[in-house]
Amino acid sequence: MGKPLKTVVTYGTFDLFHVGHVRLLKRLRGLGDRLIVGCSTDEFNEKKGKRTVMPYAQREELLLGCRYVDDVFPEKNWEQKRSDITKYKVDIFAIGDDWSGHFDSLQDICEVMYLPRTSGISSTDVKKLVVSRFKNELVSIATELQNVEKRLRSLTEIE
Ligand code: CTP
């Protein structure tokens, strides 16, 4: 009989899929043979006070499209982790170190690990970047319009 497969599980929202997510998923997949991801549903995010840009179906599809992810299931509440770990025969629960210590109580049923986050990027940062980029464009359009108005005014004054 061959060696049993090692299953790794992680949880998260994964909105606006970015390089911090990919790097974490790559490292997680490297810890075992199968990586499954509990992706927070829109209803659960609402309870957490988290507003996403992408709905659950798209966040799930993006995760499934990532080569390091073998399967995705919905994370609907804080309490389901224990039963998920038993149901999916999980060996390792691992998550970014912004959650350090939070899930130590699961150590009686699997290994619990916290991996370093990629610095300088988050879904929140991406949202802010898009907003500031959009703002800058609006400001330059407004300035351009003011200049056109000034030029028109000076032309009518000359007449
Ligand atoms: N993560 C990471 N490096 C980052 C951002 C996130 O390793 N730069 C990890 C988190 O630690 C977590 C997983 O990716 O284990 C999913 O995190 P999520 O909260 O969905 O992503 P964030 O970008 O942190 O989102 P937000 O800004 O909304 O908190």
Side-chain angles (χ1 to χ4, degrees), residues 120-147:
I121 187 154
S122 69
S123 304
T124 310
D125 289 341
V126 175
K127 269 182 248 176
K128 282 185 191 156
L129 271 174
V130 172
V131 169
S132 74
R133 174 79 182 269
F134 190 56
K135 257 191 203 160
N136 290 344
E137 277 170 16
L138 276 180
V139 167
S140 52
I141 290 169
T143 316
E144 189 57 34
L145 278 175
Q146 275 171 351
N147 290 339

Side-chain angles (χ1 to χ4, degrees), residues 12-14 18 20-21 24 50 95-96 98 117-118 121-124:
T13 297
F14 298 95
H18 58 70
H21 294 147
L24 177 84
K50 205 164 189 167
I95 195 160
D98 42 327
R117 274 171 73 92
T118 299
I121 187 154
S122 69
S123 304
T124 310

Side-chain angles (χ1 to χ4, degrees), residues 6-18:
K6 205 181 224 188
T7 299
V8 181
V9 73
T10 195
Y11 291 84
T13 297
F14 298 95
D15 191 26
L16 298 169
F17 200 67
H18 58 70

Side-chain angles (χ1 to χ4, degrees), residues 4 6 41 49 89 91 99 103 135-136 141-142 144 151 154:
K6 205 181 224 188
T41 61
K89 297 187 179 21
D91 300 281
W99 291 100
F103 302 106
K135 257 191 203 160
N136 290 344
I141 290 169
E144 189 57 34
R151 259 182 267 142
S154 62

Side-chain angles (χ1 to χ4, degrees), residues 47-131:
K47 280 186 199 142
K48 290 192 275 185
K50 205 164 189 167
R51 261 185 75 202
T52 59
V53 173
M54 295 173 167
Y56 176 82
Q58 286 183 20
R59 290 181 285 112
E60 181 193 62
E61 197 173 329
L62 280 162
L63 281 165
L64 283 169
C66 173
R67 64 164 73 184
Y68 308 113
V69 176
D70 295 288
D71 212 351
V72 180
F73 61 91
E75 183 196 27
K76 297 177 178 168
N77 55 61
W78 294 109
E79 298 79 30
Q80 72 186 68
K81 294 189 180 65
R82 197 162 270 278
S83 57
D84 291 344
I85 288 167
T86 315
K87 182 167 137 195
Y88 298 117
K89 297 187 179 21
V90 167
D91 300 281
I92 302 175
F93 169 102
I95 195 160
D97 61 5
D98 42 327
W99 291 100
S100 262
H102 269 78
F103 302 106
D104 288 354
S105 62
L106 298 169
Q107 273 164 348
D108 59 333
I109 51 169
C110 66
E111 197 177 331
V112 176
M113 295 175 72
Y114 304 99
L115 305 186
R117 274 171 73 92
T118 299
S119 63
I121 187 154
S122 69
S123 304
T124 310
D125 289 341
V126 175
K127 269 182 248 176
K128 282 185 191 156
L129 271 174
V130 172
V131 169

